[in-house]
Amino acid sequence: MKKFQMVDLHTQYLNIKNDIDRGIQEVIDSTAFIKGSKVTEFQEHLEQYTGAKHIINVGNGTDALQIALMALGLKPGDEVITPTFTFIATAEVVALLGLTPVVVDVDWDTMNISVDAIRKAITPKTKVIVPVHLFGQCANMDAIMQIAQEHNLFVVEDACQAIGAQYTFKNGHTQQAGTIGHIGCTSFFPSKNLGCYGDGGAIFTNNDQLAEKMKAIANHGCFVRYHHDFVGVNSRLDSIQAAILDAKLPHLNTYIANRQRAAAFYDKAFANNPHILTPGRDPQSTHVYHQYTLRLIDVDRDQLKARLAEKDIPSMVYYPIPLHMQKAYQDPRYKQGDFPIAERLASCVLSLPMHTELDEEQLNYITQAVLAAL
């Protein structure tokens, strides 16, 4: 049996080695390492895949979020609503731009941002909602877009964990994660469902004006070389990473299906155990399982992790400390106990190995080890 890993990037590479190697070699032969044709080709192919009118490739997912907010004409003190149970980057870029992060609680089942909590958090200073499509499924975008319309707010989707997820609105219309709000952001970190072999990210939008502005911001704030219209940054996807991503993109739906198959195996194995709650699903969104995250009930999580480690099975806690309890983001507006669902999740979640190369022998070994440890 193969060695257990949270993400098996090496086996994935071996399965498409010729395509990856050829793409990298073409970049080296061309020596167009920055803004080469491979970047343009990948952009066009990703636009076709997602249905987004415009895609701007950038250096990483955090840059994507920052550039998105920079494009909206916000002022210091403007408020940005985001969930407290997520990776730090979502609040980080808000703080870096002198904006005010307003964190809210999440839903127990889906672990995504709570719509009721969004409504309660809106003030006259609120300008943006940043829903995070956590672990691979979309937040309640039907309700979020309606709230945004009612209050004249921007929506910037953090789809860094959910590329390829499909959201079906109540009217039957379907869109991909990241293409629903005014702007969407994704990451190509190596462990993502569509990951490169370094850093990378992308911004999605269907708005022509926002697209042009974000392209300029990512290029030092200039539309024309050496003519800088506003303060920008330097953020771009290099040609080698674009070639790798372009080789992987045709396989993304297969990767998603493999993850969904593994998740179904886990679901069935844990269905009747009173100490395990499997990931809740939003019926309007498909789930692409960037992570497969259990909620443990009356279980010593550290002890379970240790017992799994004894059997060479890795596991991870995403995320052990909510944003409002992080030292860097302490705020007199918030205290421990204010966001009970997020705090409970932080104390009880555990993610199991989830990747495209998991086979039935491995899945059976993992599930039996979890059940035996409990």
Side-chain angles (χ1 to χ4, degrees), residues 236-267:
R236 55 200 174 200
L237 184 71
D238 71 70
S239 299
I240 287 178
Q241 303 308 329
I244 292 163
L245 290 164
D246 209 31
K248 282 188 170 189
L249 183 58
H251 303 277
L252 180 55
N253 286 344
T254 300
Y255 293 161
I256 291 170
N258 288 349
R259 288 171 177 267
Q260 291 170 336
R261 174 187 54 80
F265 192 104
Y266 281 143
D267 284 349

Side-chain angles (χ1 to χ4, degrees), residues 25-34 36 239:
Q25 190 61 53
E26 287 174 3
V27 174
I28 294 172
D29 289 341
S30 73
T31 68
F33 300 113
I34 301 295
S239 299

Side-chain angles (χ1 to χ4, degrees), residues 135-180:
F135 300 145
Q137 69 177 331
C138 295
N140 185 347
M141 294 305 293
D142 243 323
I144 290 170
M145 295 308 294
Q146 181 179 344
I147 292 169
Q149 186 175 15
E150 291 171 0
H151 295 273
N152 195 29
L153 306 176
F154 290 109
V155 174
V156 176
E157 294 175 77
D158 182 338
C160 290
Q161 299 184 13
I163 191 167
Q166 301 276 347
Y167 186 84
T168 302
F169 289 86
K170 292 178 181 178
N171 65 8
H173 178 63
T174 298
Q175 285 181 248
Q176 279 208 18
T179 70
I180 302 167

